[in-house]
Amino acid sequence: MIAVRFHGRGGQGAKTASRILGTAAFLEGFVAQDSPIYGAERRGAPVAAYTRIAREPIRERGLIVHPDLVVVADASLIPDPAARVLEGIDERTAVFVNSPLTPEQFHAQGSLPGRLTTLDLTDIALQQFGKGGAISALLGVVAGRLVGLRQDSLREAIVRELADLSLAASVIERNQAVAFNCYDAVRPVLVEAVAPQPIPPAQLQRPTYEPPTRGTARISAAANSVLRETGGWRTFRPVLVPDKCNGCWLCFVYCPDGVISMTKDDKPVIDYDHCKGCQICVHECPTDALVAEREKEGGVAWRAK
Amino acid sequence: MAGEMMTGNLAAAWGARLAGVDYIPAFPITPQTEIVEALATWCESGAMAARFVTMDSEHSMMTAAGAAAATGARVFTATSSQGLLYAMEVLYSISGWRAPLVLVNVSRALAAPITLEPDHNDVLAARDSGFLQIHAETCQEVLDSILMAYRIAEDARVMLPVIVNLDGFYLSFTREPVILPAPEQVAQFLPPFRPAHLGFKASAPHALGVAVLGGTPYSYFRHQMHLAAMNALDVHSETAAAFERLFGRRYDVVEGYRLDDAEDVLVMTNAFASRGKVAVDAARAEGRRVGLLRLRMIRPWPADAIRDALRSRRAVAVLDQNLAPGQGGILFQEIAASLYGEPLRPRALCSFIGGLGGKNLSEGEFRAIFDQTAEAGVRGKGIGPILLYTEAEHREMTQLQALAGGLNS
Ligand code: SF4
Ligand code: SF4
């Protein structure tokens, strides 16, 4: 069995990518299983999805703790402990990262073990589609290439999964074309099913009674959500072009995370420590006074929190 | 590989579609929503001839479902968690009317604290409602069980509603290959619904669920429901045989996995039983004689099948994915009751509580279960309830508590 784990941010298409991979494998006669795990659905929040591919019926379910291939849709997830990207990765795990950085640069940072390959899918999507957005077809096809699936089955899988999301035929075709550029461009690394090592019995904890101040699900720390700096979630940063702003406050109203405040002269100020980069303000601004600029990974502008 | 990739939710919707239901009252709730969305789409497009109605709550939804079934319509509906609890009062009425509809429950742990992920306190809260219960392990089993559920429910020896349960996320959102039975074969398997005691005809009025005071008629009618539920054991076997003849897949009230020479047996239900089987294989590979018993039918309680499977074992571990505060695992109690009168009962009966709120059941936890159960078997004394909750997880929990309390951990 090959176990593939996808990590992405809500809205990037990790779940659909896992389905494209599952469907393609299934079309080639394998048994496949795919499933997403997301908490409260929130744009930008870490999402994981799992695809298992085998010749026999699959009994494993849910979490993949020992992946053979990990597909990382957004490098900012790597240092985020909540995303658990590094879990179960060792030097034999194949890892794909959507990033302009090379595997050598990642190795030099010491942040990722494993057989690494990278490609800047976000940039490709930006060049080809003219905007950042879901890169599910690209991720799915890259994963398919790495595990050795055929182009024809991946092509068909994209059609089925994107049609399932009610995308127009022209959009699907465009996604296919761009995805297969990535198919050709990604440098293959060996993906092999690693026989699982026996795991020792879990050390169980016997929780004891605690007073209800601790023993009930209760938050007494006021305003501690500011501690969670979601600025590291951003792939794109909304930037104000002050001359174009008419001071209508729409960005303020639409920002789902309430990170825009307005000055006395009706200009938005964005709290970049917490702006998660969803681009809703960019879409809603009637005068195009907010533009999306790609965060520079590895540069000063990019910092994962 | 035959079939199509589909989620447990879509498989449930297909079950209703293939059963040719007449009426679907609906109310959405995570993680069930995809079921009613699919059915709504099919009813809208004409792929299904059923009448689909969105109600204002689960309470209204179940009321409409029961009332429609009482007119002789074949009815399907689905809910989850809080929705099932909100509809609870109506469940008892529907079973009392002996209106045999099918309700899918997508398990999700109950509030508070609130979560979206599964455990079985929701569906087991309905265990005494008079609804029969079938708990599925795979997406295929979800679909197949719905077809079987209609045939069992509508049998004149039973005439009780059925809940088919599937786990949220682990089945509801998980896609795996599912074979769609041919509609002609389903028609052969599932005859049209023609109940003698239900129906709506102006020329033949009747009252259902009438008032009965004094206790005697009440005792009689409630006991009739019990007998009807018990009849479902035999009707299930007949149904399973007919299903196997037509579709080639066999489902019994319980499923034994590598039980033949097993000295210790782990009892589980639902989707995590798949992982339990992987754990059994791993333990077997190391020479340990362990097996797994999966309970598929929870109501009626298949006591004989359970006794047959557990008789003469050294030790039995019951893994409850539920918790009755102040008592322990719900299925553990029922297994213990079934084994009490058994002369060759296992030397030790162990109770484990795991997978609450969808918490992963890890390989290491299964190993801990097998180790502790074997020791208990040697000692000849049961243990539990033991929470499957690791030291590493507790460290994370402590950090969360510190954050929530504004303390530095
Ligand atoms: S400021 Fe804009 S991009 Fe940032 S979170 Fe708010 S709406 Fe999203
Ligand atoms: S929506 Fe655009 S124009 Fe309106 S206040 Fe925000 S930036 Fe200015």
Side-chain angles (χ1 to χ4, degrees):
Chain A
M1 184 176 77
I2 295 279
V4 184
R5 197 171 71 203
F6 292 82
H7 293 277
R9 297 203 171 278
Q12 269 183 324
K15 171 185 165 184
T16 304
S18 76
R19 287 188 162 202
I20 289 170
L21 183 64
T23 295
F26 180 69
L27 290 170
E28 288 191 27
F30 292 98
V31 182
Q33 180 204 71
D34 51 60
S35 59
I37 289 283
Y38 34 80
E41 289 173 59
R42 182 179 178 200
R43 221 181 162 83
V47 173
Y50 313 100
T51 306
R52 295 179 167 94
I53 302 171
R55 300 224 173 257
E56 308 292 317
I58 298 168
R59 288 228 168 87
E60 281 291 352
R61 289 195 181 284
L63 294 188
I64 290 177
V65 189
H66 301 289
D68 304 307
L69 168 65
V70 174
V71 176
V72 185
D74 194 318
S76 69
L77 290 161
I78 298 167
D80 183 347
R84 298 177 188 267
V85 174
L86 298 173
E87 194 165 87
I89 297 188
D90 61 26
E91 60 291 342
R92 297 181 66 187
T93 316
V95 180
F96 169 81
V97 188
N98 167 24
S99 168
L101 302 189
T102 62
E104 292 68 34
Q105 284 170 303
F106 275 106
H107 284 311
Q109 289 177 4
S111 57
L112 266 183
R115 298 169 182 147
L116 208 56
T117 181
T118 66
L119 187 65
D120 192 352
L121 302 184
T122 306
D123 190 55
I124 294 172
L126 209 52
Q127 302 299 329
Q128 304 288 325
F129 301 131
K131 63 175 161 69
I135 49 171
S136 43
L138 285 57
L139 290 166
V141 161
V142 163
R145 168 84 173 99
L146 294 175
V147 302
L149 295 180
R150 293 196 309 261
Q151 292 210 22
D152 59 329
S153 40
L154 286 163
R155 207 173 280 283
E156 173 64 18
I158 292 178
V159 174
R160 291 196 189 184
E161 297 313 319
L162 296 191
D164 207 42
L165 300 174
S166 309
L167 293 185
S170 58
V171 177
I172 296 176
E173 262 174 46
R174 190 93 195 98
N175 267 280
Q176 277 186 327
V178 177
F180 282 98
N181 290 342
C182 303
Y183 186 97
D184 295 329
V186 69
R187 189 179 59 85
V189 285
L190 179 65
V191 179
E192 53 175 349
V194 180
Q197 298 295 312
I199 301 279
Q203 295 298 315
L204 297 183
Q205 171 94 17
R206 284 199 178 201
T208 50
Y209 182 78
E210 294 198 274
T213 45
R214 283 179 68 80
T216 53
R218 167 179 172 274
I219 296 173
S220 59
N224 67 351
S225 58
V226 294
L227 297 176
R228 180 81 170 117
E229 295 193 342
T230 45
W233 292 9
R234 274 196 311 273
T235 311
F236 294 91
R237 158 188 296 245
V239 176
L240 181 71
V241 185
D243 294 351
K244 289 191 174 178
C245 173
N246 68 7
C248 69
W249 284 57
L250 278 178
C251 51
F252 170 88
V253 171
Y254 277 103
C255 173
D257 281 35
V259 303
I260 298 181
S261 50
M262 300 299 287
T263 61
K264 277 207 202 65
D265 51 349
D266 298 325
K267 290 283 182 300
V269 178
I270 297 169
D271 164 10
Y272 288 113
D273 283 344
H274 296 96
C275 161
K276 63 184 184 178
C278 67
Q279 303 180 66
I280 288 175
C281 54
V282 175
H283 287 291
E284 295 299 335
C285 174
T287 63
D288 296 327
L290 288 165
V291 293
E293 281 183 11
R294 187 166 179 204
E295 294 286 356
K296 286 196 190 45
E297 203 173 310
V300 278
W302 186 82
R303 211 156 32 113
K305 293 280 171 66
Chain B
M1 186 72 204
E4 286 177 36
M5 291 289 285
M6 75 174 71
T7 59
N9 275 347
L10 195 56
W14 268 104
R17 175 166 165 174
L18 287 168
V21 299
D22 303 306
Y23 180 63
I24 306 162
F27 191 80
I29 178 171
T30 299
Q32 157 266 31
T33 306
E34 185 190 1
I35 300 177
V36 293
E37 278 175 354
L39 292 170
T41 309
W42 292 335
C43 291
E44 172 78 19
S45 73
M48 276 182 85
R51 178 76 189 271
F52 182 97
V53 182
T54 312
M55 307 300 290
D56 62 298
S57 73
E58 288 89 353
H59 193 280
S60 306
M61 175 188 96
M62 278 316 297
T63 305
T71 69
R74 184 174 281 164
V75 177
F76 176 85
T77 189
T79 189
S80 171
S81 191
Q82 312 298 131
L84 182 68
L85 293 201
Y86 191 34
M88 187 66 72
E89 169 190 34
V90 191
L91 298 190
Y92 283 72
S93 292
I94 294 171
S95 58
W97 300 338
R98 308 283 298 278
L101 56 87
V102 173
L103 165 66
V104 161
N105 183 66
V106 186
S107 264
R108 160 178 154 187
L110 296 168
I114 198 157
T115 184
L116 301 171
E117 292 157 297
D119 67 33
H120 305 138
N121 267 105
D122 62 350
V123 67
L124 291 177
R127 71 188 185 277
D128 303 330
S129 66
F131 272 62
L132 310 182
Q133 291 200 10
I134 297 173
H135 292 207
E137 179 191 343
T138 66
C139 296
Q140 181 77 58
E141 192 180 344
V142 170
L143 193 164
D144 293 348
S145 297
I146 291 170
L147 300 179
M148 288 177 69
Y150 277 108
R151 179 153 155 168
I152 296 164
E154 294 172 1
D155 191 294
R157 292 164 289 177
V158 179
M159 279 297 169
L160 283 172
V162 182
I163 291 175
V164 174
N165 193 67
L166 64 137
D167 276 327
F169 287 78
Y170 293 94
L171 280 194
S172 74
F173 299 160
T174 297
R175 293 197 319 168
E176 53 192 20
V178 173
I179 295 168
L180 287 178
E184 315 76 59
Q185 280 187 308
V186 175
Q188 243 178 295
F189 173 73
L190 197 56
F193 180 36
R194 299 267 181 272
H197 74 297
L198 301 172
F200 186 75
K201 217 177 187 185
S203 57
H206 64 145
L208 199 57
V210 296
V212 287
L213 298 179
T216 305
Y218 187 85
S219 307
Y220 172 80
F221 291 128
R222 294 300 288 186
H223 187 249
Q224 283 295 310
M225 283 170 64
H226 172 63
L227 296 176
M230 295 313 288
N231 283 346
L233 290 170
D234 282 342
V235 175
H236 186 284
S237 341
E238 293 171 24
T239 304
F243 192 90
E244 186 183 17
R245 271 198 304 279
L246 276 164
F247 304 107
R249 293 181 294 277
R250 172 86 193 188
Y251 301 97
D252 288 306
V253 288
V254 300
E255 179 202 359
Y257 183 72
R258 303 190 78 168
L259 281 185
D260 282 352
D261 62 340
E263 45 186 2
D264 299 339
V265 176
L266 170 62
V267 180
M268 293 184 71
T269 64
N270 288 282
F272 271 145
S274 300
R275 309 207 69 196
K277 291 173 181 172
V278 175
V280 164
D281 288 347
R284 285 263 174 186
E286 292 170 9
R288 308 178 70 152
R289 282 164 42 203
V290 295
L292 185 140
L293 181 71
R294 179 172 70 92
L295 309 182
R296 184 176 120 79
M297 189 159 233
I298 302 292
R299 284 293 182 270
W301 181 249
D304 287 337
I306 290 168
R307 273 194 286 271
D308 288 347
L310 300 183
R311 183 177 294 124
S312 306
R313 307 291 175 179
R314 182 177 65 180
V316 167
V318 181
L319 205 176
D320 269 290
Q321 210 179 333
N322 63 75
L323 177 59
Q327 167 55 277
I330 293 169
L331 298 177
F332 175 82
Q333 305 161 37
E334 301 208 351
I335 300 259
S338 300
L339 291 175
Y340 183 76
E342 169 58 53
L344 298 173
R345 65 172 179 254
R347 282 168 49 79
L349 196 54
C350 307
S351 172
F352 294 90
I353 309 288
L356 294 185
K359 193 183 92 62
N360 187 39
L361 282 175
S362 66
E363 220 179 310
E365 287 172 31
F366 281 111
R367 281 183 177 262
I369 294 174
F370 290 138
D371 283 358
Q372 296 191 21
T373 304
E375 283 164 27
V378 170
R379 271 200 317 276
K381 189 166 183 298
I383 51 170
I386 292 171
L387 179 68
L388 298 175
Y389 175 85
T390 65
E391 288 177 357
E393 286 163 343
H394 189 61
R395 280 193 292 278
E396 288 179 17
M397 183 63 218
T398 311
Q399 281 175 8
L400 284 177
Q401 282 175 313
L403 271 179
L407 313 163
N408 291 321
S409 57

